[in-house]
Amino acid sequence: MIKHDVLIVGAGLAGMRAALEVCKELDVGLLTKVYPSRSHSGAAQGGIAAALGNSEDDSWEEHMFDTVKGGDYLNDQDAVEEYVKAAPEVIYELEHMGCAFSRTEDGKIAQRSFGGHSKPRACFSADRTGHAILHALHEQVLKHAKSIKVYSEWYMHQLVVEEGRCCGVVVSNIRTGEVEVIHAKAVIFATGGYGRVFQITTNAFAGTADGAIAAFRAGVPLEDCEFVQFHPSGLYRQGILFSEAARGEGGYLLNGKGERFMEQYAPSRMELAPRDIVARAEQSEIDAGRGVNGEDYIHLDLRHLGEARIMERLPQIRQLGIDFIGVDCVKDPLPIQPSAHYSMGGIPTDMFGQVIIDADKTPLKGFFAAGECACVSVHGANRLGTNSLLDATVFGGRAGRTALEYAKKVEFGKINGSHEKARVLDQIEEIFQRDGTESYNQIRNEMKEVMMDKCGVFRDEENLKSCISTIQGLKERYKKGKVTDKGQLFNSELYEIVELGNMLEMAEIISTAALARQESRGGHHRTDFPKRDDENFLKHSLVYPKDGQLELKYKPVVVTRYQPKERTY
């Protein structure tokens, strides 16, 4: 059995930031199924939000209001306040760690406009901001190699919870196939989102809900999973992200008639309205037959910005267009469509990263979470662009500090390692022994298709019921799949099958919560309930596992400074 004072699962921004807090005093294990610098945080492009007030008078109060309004008033405002107040300090801290931000002519950190923000507060490194921050943090982790042991390309199967306390995880070394138990005083999940549940997504292949479902199977409810953000500018058919920075720098969205259609949907903010509004506007144009050439896409036009500005501010976007579709955005517009991007919901935590299991804030001792897998609810029903990198670094650091203080006070909990290991080995053996006729690839494709078509940008009761029924059928077919590789070494097929099981469970949770929420709010839009309903649904959903079924409960939203009002742009 492997032992660490604190084990962190996930090595993106939140995981590495947590590790840097814990390693000051305790021994840390950092476990990741991909190499740390390949974490999905590196795909973030446009910026990280902070009210530095460099270019215009800005304040944390304005940042807070924009965030709460952007989240359609479902945000917990006490957490939002803490988070936006921490933002400037986080930016300077990252800068001191070596993150190279773009600069203004007088040497200050440059800030650009972003959707839903009333002031330019997106601090950026050209259009590779996530990449720049991720590598700065990775360098710091390498610097502390004596106290941070990185388990690269290891897979986390399940949480170990004994007597109401989390004491470790069961993992396997992808390279050798060996299953191990890691015993820890505290466990932090920083496992990212679950966008791969959908057919068109900006998410890396690693975004398969592993952390959320491991927590769920250990009895932790999942909060607000019906709220999935669709990014307005994913590459047509592929979902590869073209950053909102393109619109922040002045890019236009054009329909098949060459019209800047955002004037009809958000006249005051145009292309810089929040993502949920822009994605719905695009989908509405496509559904009305005004896509380009009658197809399911619209155009992102940057030509008027000129080559010099594009190369200075948006070089990666230009290169992605050339590499993937042979389109140079200096000369031609880019084909884009709404793509599943970000999970507002996840594992419920308080604002210090402690996982809580009910409306009374009962903690699951020893278990913490941060980043996209967690739901502190600073984003509410819709996240503003550039707020996610801030979320990961602020709450990654906080979860690290909270876990550190907890682990300093407790001894290692009791753990039956051989029993826990045997459970996972049995599950793997059961997959190997299946001699069914079903294709896992076919099941995966059908799941993605039905989630995109019936639980996507627009939803209604009939489609959601059909979606749930299809997913339940796919879960049955999943038990009759056939595995072709039964080897131990680097058996990527095995891990993809395990991930598919997680995604099917997640898909059912998302669509079940979406069916129950009979209103439209943020990223969740019901065509049969097109209005927001504060009287009945100004509350967070909690989905619990119960006897193989799903049980829905709710908890109140924390409202402090800003009372809900109509959200217009």
Side-chain angles (χ1 to χ4, degrees), residues 19 26 29 63 90 137 149 168 223 297 385 390 404 478 499 516 568:
L26 295 178
H63 188 184
V90 162
L137 290 178
K149 179 164 173 56
E223 180 176 347
Y297 68 89
L390 183 63
L404 169 66
Y478 173 78
E499 288 171 338
T568 56

Side-chain angles (χ1 to χ4, degrees), residues 74-318:
L74 198 74
N75 327 53
D76 286 330
Q77 292 181 25
D78 54 347
V80 177
E81 182 167 335
E82 292 276 322
Y83 156 81
V84 296
K85 281 180 175 174
E89 186 186 338
V90 162
I91 301 301
Y92 299 133
E93 184 179 59
L94 290 170
E95 187 183 31
H96 293 165
M97 285 181 183
C99 180
F101 288 107
S102 295
R103 298 279 164 179
T104 60
E105 286 183 4
D106 58 356
K108 292 179 178 175
I109 292 173
Q111 294 181 282
R112 60 165 58 114
S113 297
F114 240 74
H117 291 278
S118 56
K119 298 278 171 69
R121 63 172 72 97
C123 310
F124 61 93
S125 300
D127 59 351
R128 304 186 184 98
T129 313
H131 177 93
I133 299 172
L134 187 73
H135 281 265
L137 290 178
H138 190 213
E139 285 165 5
Q140 295 297 316
V141 165
L142 295 174
K143 180 175 151 186
H144 292 91
K146 282 186 180 174
S147 48
I148 303 174
K149 179 164 173 56
V150 179
Y151 296 86
S152 190
E153 297 185 317
W154 286 58
Y155 186 85
M156 183 275 303
H157 291 280
Q158 66 183 35
L159 267 181
V160 178
V161 177
E162 299 278 356
E163 297 171 358
R165 177 183 166 188
C166 177
C167 355
V169 295
V170 187
V171 299
S172 52
N173 181 336
I174 294 172
R175 189 164 56 83
T176 64
E178 285 179 75
V179 174
E180 303 269 11
V181 175
I182 301 184
H183 195 181
K185 294 178 181 177
V187 173
I188 303 174
F189 270 14
T191 54
Y194 37 82
R196 298 307 300 187
V197 166
F198 293 87
Q199 186 178 31
I200 308 293
T201 176
T202 65
N203 282 199
F205 282 94
T208 52
D210 305 339
I213 295 303
F216 183 72
R217 288 176 183 154
V220 176
L222 295 181
E223 180 176 347
D224 288 346
C225 290
E226 62 269 42
F227 296 105
V228 177
Q229 179 173 89
F230 282 79
H231 197 290
S233 49
L235 175 59
Y236 178 49
R237 287 188 175 155
Q238 298 183 49
I240 294 164
L241 180 65
F242 288 142
S243 171
E244 191 171 322
R247 285 174 281 130
E249 294 295 339
Y252 299 153
L253 296 177
L254 305 176
N255 63 18
K257 295 180 173 181
E259 299 164 336
R260 283 182 72 187
F261 56 86
M262 284 308 299
E263 200 165 356
Q264 300 169 47
Y265 301 92
S268 71
R269 299 292 292 158
M270 294 290 284
E271 283 88 356
L272 289 177
R275 288 174 179 170
D276 60 323
I277 292 172
V278 182
R280 281 195 295 277
E282 290 181 357
Q283 197 61 52
S284 298
E285 291 295 301
I286 290 165
D287 292 348
R290 292 190 292 274
V292 177
N293 301 327
E295 299 278 343
D296 293 343
Y297 68 89
I298 56 110
H299 271 152
L300 171 62
D301 192 357
L302 307 176
R303 292 172 294 182
H304 56 285
L305 300 180
E307 185 171 357
R309 188 169 178 83
I310 287 171
M311 289 310 296
E312 182 199 344
R313 297 294 182 90
L314 307 167
Q316 183 173 245
I317 288 175
R318 184 185 187 190

Side-chain angles (χ1 to χ4, degrees), residues 6-26:
V6 177
L7 178 76
I8 300 166
V9 184
L13 258 57
M16 288 201 280
R17 187 63 195 81
L20 293 173
E21 288 297 321
V22 180
C23 77
K24 292 171 184 174
E25 297 183 56
L26 295 178

Side-chain angles (χ1 to χ4, degrees), residues 274-492:
R275 288 174 179 170
D276 60 323
I277 292 172
V278 182
R280 281 195 295 277
E282 290 181 357
Q283 197 61 52
S284 298
E285 291 295 301
I286 290 165
D287 292 348
R290 292 190 292 274
V292 177
N293 301 327
E295 299 278 343
D296 293 343
Y297 68 89
I298 56 110
H299 271 152
L300 171 62
D301 192 357
L302 307 176
R303 292 172 294 182
H304 56 285
L305 300 180
E307 185 171 357
R309 188 169 178 83
I310 287 171
M311 289 310 296
E312 182 199 344
R313 297 294 182 90
L314 307 167
Q316 183 173 245
I317 288 175
R318 184 185 187 190
Q319 200 58 49
L320 286 170
I322 292 168
D323 289 348
F324 284 94
I325 50 171
V327 173
D328 182 350
C329 64
V330 170
K331 300 171 186 167
D332 296 294
L334 297 163
I336 58 168
Q337 72 182 116
S339 305
H341 180 63
Y342 189 86
S343 327
M344 272 74 75
I347 302 165
T349 73
D350 65 16
M351 64 177 96
F352 302 101
Q354 170 67 62
V355 172
I356 49 178
I357 56 172
D358 56 28
D360 300 322
K361 295 196 172 180
T362 306
L364 175 52
K365 290 179 183 172
F367 188 31
F368 308 86
E372 193 177 350
C373 74
C375 183
V376 200
S377 208
V378 286
H379 305 307
N382 170 64
R383 175 177 72 74
L384 292 188
T386 71
N387 269 354
S388 65
L389 294 182
L390 183 63
D391 174 3
T393 41
V394 168
F395 293 109
R398 282 183 160 225
R401 287 192 288 278
T402 311
L404 169 66
E405 291 308 316
Y406 171 82
K408 278 159 58 178
K409 293 177 193 160
V410 300
E411 297 301 316
F412 282 92
K414 290 178 187 170
I415 190 168
N416 186 340
S418 54
H419 168 70
E420 297 294 342
K421 186 172 172 178
R423 273 174 61 191
V424 169
L425 285 168
D426 287 348
Q427 289 164 7
I428 291 171
E429 189 56 30
E430 190 270 324
I431 289 172
F432 282 153
Q433 293 305 323
R434 291 176 192 171
D435 199 21
T437 51
E438 291 286 354
S439 155
Y440 289 114
N441 203 38
Q442 184 67 32
I443 292 168
R444 186 184 298 106
N445 288 341
E446 287 183 35
M447 169 196 72
K448 288 168 172 284
E449 210 169 291
V450 74
M451 288 298 288
M452 199 76 193
D453 291 347
K454 299 190 174 178
C455 191
V457 176
F458 293 115
R459 303 163 172 181
D460 62 50
E461 182 176 2
E462 184 185 346
N463 277 322
L464 287 168
K465 283 182 172 174
S466 168
C467 180
I468 294 165
S469 171
T470 301
I471 296 295
Q472 288 169 344
L474 291 174
K475 285 174 81 174
E476 287 306 309
R477 286 169 55 192
Y478 173 78
K479 297 172 189 171
K480 303 181 188 121
K482 185 172 179 65
V483 62
T484 56
D485 180 0
K486 298 190 180 180
Q488 288 264 299
L489 308 180
F490 259 117
N491 188 341
S492 57

